[in-house]
Amino acid sequence: MKAIITAQNLASELVTTLWTPVFVGIFLAIALYAFWPRNKATFDAAARMPLREE
């Protein structure tokens, strides 16, 4: 049985092979930024912001 190359198959392979690793990389970059020790003070201050009375 021969494989039929269609635009849908080509687009599906492009999304799978190209965009999946790109989005995984973006997710990892965001996660590293969020858990980086240098950013802890900033995130702690942001967490306390709704509790402040001004």
Side-chain angles (χ1 to χ4, degrees), residues 20-48:
T20 301
V22 169
F23 285 124
V24 168
I26 291 171
F27 173 78
L28 290 175
I30 292 170
L32 281 172
Y33 173 77
F35 290 110
W36 205 256
R38 185 183 70 195
N39 298 326
K40 182 174 176 21
T42 304
F43 288 125
D44 285 342
R48 286 189 304 270

Side-chain angles (χ1 to χ4, degrees), residues 1-53:
M1 177 171 258
K2 285 187 171 182
I4 299 173
I5 298 175
T6 63
Q8 183 178 6
N9 290 345
L10 187 60
S12 175
E13 283 199 32
L14 180 66
V15 167
T16 303
T17 59
L18 180 67
W19 290 110
T20 301
V22 169
F23 285 124
V24 168
I26 291 171
F27 173 78
L28 290 175
I30 292 170
L32 281 172
Y33 173 77
F35 290 110
W36 205 256
R38 185 183 70 195
N39 298 326
K40 182 174 176 21
T42 304
F43 288 125
D44 285 342
R48 286 189 304 270
M49 196 180 300
L51 304 175
R52 286 191 299 195
E53 293 182 21

